[in-house]
Structures are given as structure tokens and as C-alpha cells.
Amino acid sequence: MDSSTPLIYIVEPYGGSIRRHNAALPHIYWDDAAVTRGDGVFETLLIRDGHPANLQRHLDRFQSSARLMELPEPNVADWIDATRQAVEEWSQRTDADAKCVWTYTRGRESTGHPSAWLTITPLGETVLKQRKKGVKVMTSPRGFTIDTSLPGVEEATEGGTPEPAPWLTVGAKTLNYAANMAALRYACSQGLDDVIYVDPATGRVLEGATSTVIVARPGRKLRTPTPGGDILPGTTQAALFEYAEEQGWRCKEKDMTVESLLDAESVWLVSSVRVAVRVTELDGRVLPAPANEDEVRELINAALGAE
Ligand code: PLP
């Protein structure tokens, strides 16, 4: 078998059976809500040194996403088991970083049963290149805004309320990523790599199309836009802040503007698989490498390996 062939494990939502699936064969039906409506949730995890990085935070967000989408509670033990089996098999092929995606959908309209599976694939060339060379980024409005004063939004984004505003999916990592992918294609068409969304009404920096924004400031300080509401709480950012605090950095969630990105020591996009890519250009302005570039990168890598 080609070492880049994806591994697929089906996770039966009822009964807990986990079975390996032949990647050359289809496994989704035409009437699955993932296909017809983009209706489901997912998590993307980094597989490093034979382990899923940051596993507990991914499990927590997965459960909270499912709750917000009113999907049946995923069986955490099955997901851990399936991930362990898949990672063990993958690790026999290679010890290079890999990407694991958990997908959990509302399932087939004809049966009403959710569908669930995970995949492991190698990292793409683009990810590896961006980790090394950084990314050129444009800022842009997201194209829609979420009124965070609507009833239930604040509680919903923390995943804890029994009665979140039922029509909202903020705070859930849903399969609905077509607009984010379109934004990335647009950035590419302009010779750029990524987009940072900015709220046009307030000038508040939100997040990358698939990442969390982190700013390093002089004096070993890290800042990130306050997660929640229209900013997906990132597992990488959470791991980074916990670990960096232990290492003597001062970390704060704080609203910020594009100007504060431009005068930062360094700006980073962090997410599970890319881990940390430095923003080397923002809206055409070059952001020079700081003296502590390697230190920050190692801090983020260590944060993911720390668990
Ligand atoms: N924000 C968005 C919109 C994302 O899609 C992602 C990851 O895919 C993140 C933030 C970063 O999240 P994490 O660090 O958990 O991968």
C-alpha cells in the first residue's frame, strides 16, 4: 500500500463498533446530511510522535459542538479507542506528523442515524512550506456578523447552557466551511496565503479562516482576541496559553485592532495541524522576523507536546 493512502475508521454511533474501512471504497450515502446540508461537526487533530496532540481539548470541543448542534452525545470512549487504533496502525508506516479528522454528521435522512468516521492522512506540502516560510495575509470582513447580544449566544459559546438560542451554531465546529474555503481561494488568487477576519463595525480582529490569531509583544507577552461569540475557541491557543504561563510568559485574551497587529513583535496563526505559522506580510506591509521567532515557535510546539 502507498504510504500516503488515507486510513479510515468507521465509528458506529450506536453499539460502538469500530471498523477499518478500505479507503478505495465509498462509505457515505447520497442522503447523508453531510453531503446534502453540510450538517455535522468535525475536529482536526495533529498526530505527532505516535500520539494525538491535545486530545482532551479536542474531545471537549467535539462534545460541545455536538451538543450545540443537537446531535446525539458522541461516545468519547469509542472516539479515543478508534483514534488509538488508527494512530497505532499509521505509526507503523511513518513517524512524520499526520492529520487526523473526526467527522460526525446528522446521518442519512432515510434512517435518521448519525454517521461517524475518522481519517488519518499525511500533511500536505502547503502546510509544511507555511510552517517554514510563514504566510502572507490579507484582512477582510467575514461577510456576515453574529450579533453576540442575542439571547443565549454567550452561554452557547461556552457550551454549557441547557437552552442556547436554538438557531445558532456559533461555538460549534461545524462542517459548514465553504465560505472559509472561498476566502482562502480568494487570498490565493491575490498571491496570498490566508485571511484574517475583522469585524467591520468595530475594527475588532476575529480569527483566521481556519486558525486563531496570536500576537507576541515585547516582554514575553502573548495576546489573542477574546474567544467565544464569533471567534471559535481554539484548542491550540488554549494549550499554548496554559503552557506559556507556566514558562513565565504573560498571556491575555484581549480585543485587538489591525493596528495592534502591525505594531506587534510578531503575529502568528495557530491551529492544530499547521501548529504555528508566522505572518510575514499583512495587507502588503512586511512584518520582519523578531529575534525570538524560534523561541515562540518552540513554545507552541512544546505546548502541544506537553500533554
Ligand atoms: N478558528 C477557526 C475558524 C478554525 O477553523 C480553526 C481550526 O480549524 C481554529 C480557529 C483553530 O482551532 P484549533 O487550534 O483547535 O485547530
Side-chain angles (χ1 to χ4, degrees):
M1 192 196 316
D2 180 341
S3 67
S4 62
T5 305
L7 271 189
I8 304 180
Y9 277 69
I10 309 286
V11 186
E12 292 288 351
Y14 303 117
S17 119
I18 294 161
R19 60 193 159 78
R20 194 179 182 292
H21 183 80
N22 181 342
L25 299 173
H27 73 272
I28 316 237
Y29 286 94
W30 62 276
D31 63 345
D32 195 289
V35 177
T36 56
R37 309 276 187 202
D39 188 358
V41 300
F42 76 109
E43 280 297 316
T44 302
L45 296 81
L46 174 70
I47 307 301
R48 175 166 282 181
D49 300 330
H51 297 286
N54 218 355
L55 180 63
Q56 190 57 50
R57 286 194 180 83
H58 285 291
L59 285 167
D60 291 346
R61 191 172 60 191
F62 196 50
Q63 283 180 293
S64 140
S65 295
R67 203 176 306 130
L68 281 163
M69 298 290 285
E70 297 177 37
L71 287 163
E73 180 90 10
N75 185 336
V76 167
D78 288 344
W79 286 93
I80 295 176
D81 194 11
T83 306
R84 294 250 151 87
Q85 284 186 38
V87 169
E88 202 176 304
E89 185 178 345
W90 186 267
S91 303
Q92 285 162 14
R93 284 192 208 170
T94 171
D95 55 9
D97 281 2
K99 168 177 165 175
C100 176
V101 179
W102 298 343
T103 306
Y104 181 37
T105 90
R106 202 167 302 283
R108 297 192 65 183
E109 200 174 332
S110 53
T111 66
H113 295 166
S115 315
W117 66 92
L118 66 79
T119 60
I120 303 190
T121 51
L123 299 198
E125 287 301 315
T126 308
V127 169
L128 297 173
K129 186 175 141 225
Q130 291 186 359
R131 280 184 183 174
K132 270 202 196 122
K133 304 219 156 176
V135 282
K136 295 181 183 166
V137 176
M138 57 181 273
T139 59
S140 164
R142 201 199 295 263
F144 61 88
T145 52
I146 293 162
D147 181 350
T148 48
S149 66
L150 281 171
V153 171
E154 214 172 300
E155 297 90 333
T157 58
E158 285 161 16
T161 177
E163 288 180 34
W167 62 93
L168 289 168
T169 60
V170 287
K173 192 165 163 69
T174 75
L175 293 172
N176 183 0
Y177 263 61
N180 305 45
M181 295 302 113
L184 288 179
R185 283 197 302 280
Y186 180 79
C188 276
S189 75
Q190 305 301 300
L192 304 170
D193 303 298
D194 216 317
V195 173
I196 291 178
Y197 295 126
V198 176
D199 182 340
T202 59
R204 197 165 56 94
V205 170
L206 302 175
E207 59 187 349
T210 61
S211 57
T212 307
V213 175
I214 303 282
V215 160
R217 305 201 74 81
R220 302 184 98 213
K221 290 183 192 149
L222 296 177
R223 303 285 179 260
T224 193
T226 314
D230 40 11
I231 302 176
L232 183 78
T235 60
T236 314
Q237 173 269 321
L240 168 63
F241 273 29
E242 186 181 315
Y243 181 74
E245 282 277 350
E246 289 163 15
Q247 303 302 308
W249 289 67
R250 280 183 293 156
C251 303
K252 215 185 247 174
E253 296 168 351
K254 194 172 172 234
D255 287 346
M256 55 182 81
T257 60
V258 174
E259 283 66 41
S260 58
L261 300 186
L262 289 170
D263 70 15
E265 198 172 57
S266 56
V267 180
W268 299 79
L269 298 181
V270 303
S271 57
S272 298
V273 169
R274 275 193 298 182
V275 182
V277 296
R278 192 176 72 78
V279 179
T280 57
E281 193 182 299
L282 185 64
D283 290 340
R285 284 259 303 272
V286 172
L287 305 185
N292 64 355
E293 180 172 19
D294 289 343
E295 186 193 352
V296 176
R297 188 175 283 111
E298 275 157 29
L299 187 74
I300 303 175
N301 274 307
L304 291 181
E307 294 181 54

